[in-house]
Amino acid sequence: MTIDRISLEDFRSYERGEAVFHPGVNVIAGENAQGKTNLLEAVAYLSSASSHRARYDRELIRHGADHAFLKGSVTSRGRSFTLEADLHRGARRQLRSNGVKLKTAGELSGILNTILFCPEDLHLIREGAEARRRFLDSCICQLRPRYAQALAEYKRLYQHKTRILKDSERHPSLLDALDDFSLRMAQCGAVIVHYRAHFIRRLVEAAPPIHADCSGGREKLALRYETVSAVTDPEAPPKILLPQLVAHLEAHRAAEIGARSCLSGPHKDELAVEIDGAPAKAYASQGQTRTAALALKLAARDIFRQERSEWPVLLLDDVLSELDGRRQEFVLNRIGSGQVFITCCEEEKLGRLREGKAFHIKEGRLS
């Protein structure tokens, strides 16, 4: 799985940009604030129609422009694809594959998969549960289109239900619709819990050995899925989980009305991370935090490889500068296969990489 060429128009800092990539390692070098991260962001967008740095598509459009255009030539499953994304201010985006309009963003992930590792991910362990949910959602949405659909619908229902609860004091009649929204959230939530549980089980198998290698066998990583207390077996089929979630929401109905907020559900799920039996969020050192974050991302890459029989495109955004020498060496040794993009300010640090291609960026221009 590779992205062979990309063209950009009015995307972030790029008025115009085009590059032909190597199927192995692509080094994107340049000083800060020149557009390195923007290029990786564009590649990632073509796999998921989402950005790790922007909440809305309009934030991706170059300042002063009305629209942005991305086009990527991709090789996947032995076939060639042309992926396109048209972004407009005040209008819906349009996604296309080989000229055919796509109905959902999930169709992109059936063609191109990416794993992004950026400096913010080094804080993945220390942040709240929301950061780890974003990590899970980003991975599972690319592997399971049904999950992506259920997650998008759940978020929409959550916003509506929250509005009902907040406005119910002034407009009590809104509560007539509350049970319907809770039921529909439980239906979507059952799908979300099921897929999260299965993905985390695979993380539990893959991440600890990677963590042990990186730490020299001195530390033990443990992962655990924490979801709604009424769920007895998160890996059970959604039809089994549904009545458990419905009962849970019914039990919390009065409390939610009193608090005027959605108190419980998959939107509160947690991927608990422990190192040597202690919660990593509270007790991990800076080095342990970095190692655990590395293990999660590289484990996700291995899972994608098992699922698709192809390596996902690995995007490493200025990560090596945040790591000590031993961890740098570990990362470079782990990316011996598949297509990789690495941004850096000091290209000489990457001399140990296999054959590839180097780009230099200055003021949004590639050379």
Side-chain angles (χ1 to χ4, degrees), residues 90-115:
R92 295 189 64 180
R93 69 189 177 197
Q94 293 187 3
L95 307 173
R96 292 181 294 273
S97 173
N98 292 340
V100 178
K101 187 176 179 180
L102 303 181
K103 295 180 180 178
T104 67
E107 295 178 74
L108 287 175
S109 60
I111 301 169
L112 176 64
N113 298 140
T114 59
I115 295 290

Side-chain angles (χ1 to χ4, degrees), residues 200-361:
I200 290 173
R201 175 172 53 80
R202 299 180 72 174
L203 281 179
V204 168
E205 298 169 353
I210 295 174
H211 185 275
D213 286 346
C214 187
S215 66
R218 295 189 301 272
E219 301 162 1
K220 183 178 180 180
L221 176 72
L223 306 173
R224 184 178 67 259
Y225 181 28
E226 297 177 355
T227 186
V228 175
S229 60
V231 171
T232 56
D233 178 11
E235 293 188 37
K239 65 180 181 181
I240 302 297
L241 299 175
L242 176 58
Q244 297 175 3
L245 289 175
V246 169
H248 184 82
L249 290 175
E250 288 177 350
H252 286 74
R253 187 179 191 276
E256 288 189 331
I257 293 173
R260 299 191 191 93
S261 64
C262 299
L263 298 177
S264 184
H267 57 280
K268 298 284 189 178
D269 280 358
E270 167 70 294
L271 171 61
V273 181
E274 294 182 350
I275 298 176
D276 294 335
K281 179 181 176 181
Y283 297 104
S285 67
Q286 189 74 357
Q288 289 174 325
T289 298
R290 291 171 174 172
T291 304
L294 274 171
L296 288 177
K297 287 287 183 169
L298 294 176
R301 182 176 186 246
D302 290 349
I303 292 171
F304 274 66
R305 172 68 173 83
Q306 295 165 11
E307 280 281 325
R308 298 289 168 83
S309 299
E310 293 181 294
W311 288 108
V313 177
L314 181 61
L315 309 173
L316 301 175
D317 185 18
D318 197 27
V319 169
L320 296 183
S321 63
E322 298 287 335
L323 302 174
D324 59 32
R326 181 169 58 82
R327 290 182 176 84
Q328 287 182 15
E329 189 70 35
F330 175 79
V331 172
L332 296 177
N333 288 337
R334 289 282 307 188
I335 58 175
S337 302
Q339 188 179 40
V340 182
F341 291 78
I342 302 180
T343 68
C344 65
C345 295
E346 303 173 20
E347 189 178 341
E348 60 272 13
K349 287 185 177 182
L350 305 175
R352 294 159 288 179
L353 289 169
R354 67 186 191 277
E355 181 182 358
K357 192 171 185 178
F359 297 85
H360 292 268
I361 293 184

Side-chain angles (χ1 to χ4, degrees), residues 79-273:
R79 298 172 55 194
S80 296
F81 297 87
T82 299
L83 303 180
E84 297 173 303
D86 275 308
L87 311 181
H88 299 269
R89 296 189 191 275
R92 295 189 64 180
R93 69 189 177 197
Q94 293 187 3
L95 307 173
R96 292 181 294 273
S97 173
N98 292 340
V100 178
K101 187 176 179 180
L102 303 181
K103 295 180 180 178
T104 67
E107 295 178 74
L108 287 175
S109 60
I111 301 169
L112 176 64
N113 298 140
T114 59
I115 295 290
L116 171 66
F117 193 20
C118 57
E120 293 83 354
D121 288 324
L122 293 173
H123 305 290
L124 176 63
I125 309 302
R126 286 284 177 84
E127 292 184 7
E130 183 180 357
R132 289 176 288 282
R133 285 196 301 273
R134 285 197 303 265
F135 162 66
L136 294 173
D137 292 343
S138 174
C139 293
I140 307 172
C141 281
Q142 293 189 66
L143 293 174
R144 299 288 182 260
R146 186 186 177 193
Y147 180 88
Q149 295 169 5
L151 183 65
E153 178 66 5
Y154 185 91
K155 290 180 177 179
R156 186 186 70 83
L157 293 167
Y158 172 82
Q159 291 174 350
H160 282 290
K161 183 177 175 181
T162 299
R163 178 54 57 189
I164 288 173
L165 290 166
K166 285 184 176 180
D167 295 344
S168 61
E169 186 177 26
R170 288 183 293 113
H171 304 285
S173 61
L174 289 173
L175 294 177
D176 294 341
L178 186 64
D179 292 338
D180 180 55
F181 276 95
S182 292
L183 174 61
R184 291 157 64 191
M185 285 179 69
Q187 292 169 336
C188 296
V191 176
I192 292 170
V193 170
H194 171 78
Y195 281 117
R196 280 180 180 170
H198 280 268
F199 186 79
I200 290 173
R201 175 172 53 80
R202 299 180 72 174
L203 281 179
V204 168
E205 298 169 353
I210 295 174
H211 185 275
D213 286 346
C214 187
S215 66
R218 295 189 301 272
E219 301 162 1
K220 183 178 180 180
L221 176 72
L223 306 173
R224 184 178 67 259
Y225 181 28
E226 297 177 355
T227 186
V228 175
S229 60
V231 171
T232 56
D233 178 11
E235 293 188 37
K239 65 180 181 181
I240 302 297
L241 299 175
L242 176 58
Q244 297 175 3
L245 289 175
V246 169
H248 184 82
L249 290 175
E250 288 177 350
H252 286 74
R253 187 179 191 276
E256 288 189 331
I257 293 173
R260 299 191 191 93
S261 64
C262 299
L263 298 177
S264 184
H267 57 280
K268 298 284 189 178
D269 280 358
E270 167 70 294
L271 171 61
V273 181

